[in-house]
Amino acid sequence: MTTAQLATVVLGTSGATAEDGVAVARHGARVGLSPQARAEVARVRAHVDALARSDTPVYGISTGFGALATKHIPADYRTQLQ
């Protein structure tokens, strides 16, 4: 096993480099999330959850997609939609 295969690419909130992609795709590097990225995922998840609970229609969260964008999805079925 090479050093690159033992490496971990840590994804943050600013994106990844081409070298990161090569390390993962070609050299077996593992992928992890920085504490800041984990916090951002949690923040966005809370925001989406709040939108899903709201009575205000939000495309793709409480409505259908495309031609069904004006179709309101009842709260009980929104998990299935996702």
Side-chain angles (χ1 to χ4, degrees):
M1 196 174 287
T2 67
T3 304
Q5 288 174 315
L6 298 175
T8 299
V9 172
V10 178
L11 300 176
T13 57
S14 61
T17 66
E19 291 80 14
D20 292 336
V22 170
V24 172
R26 295 188 182 161
H27 303 294
R30 295 176 179 237
V31 178
L33 292 176
S34 71
Q36 296 85 0
R38 288 180 187 276
E40 187 65 8
V41 168
R43 185 188 71 76
V44 171
R45 169 63 190 263
H47 180 70
V48 171
D49 286 347
L51 291 173
R53 288 189 302 271
S54 173
D55 292 331
T56 303
V58 178
Y59 179 80
I61 294 175
S62 57
T63 72
F65 299 93
L68 298 175
T70 59
K71 170 98 171 113
H72 183 262
I73 307 299
D76 294 345
Y77 294 100
R78 292 180 188 164
T79 301
Q80 291 176 342
L81 172 69
Q82 297 306 312

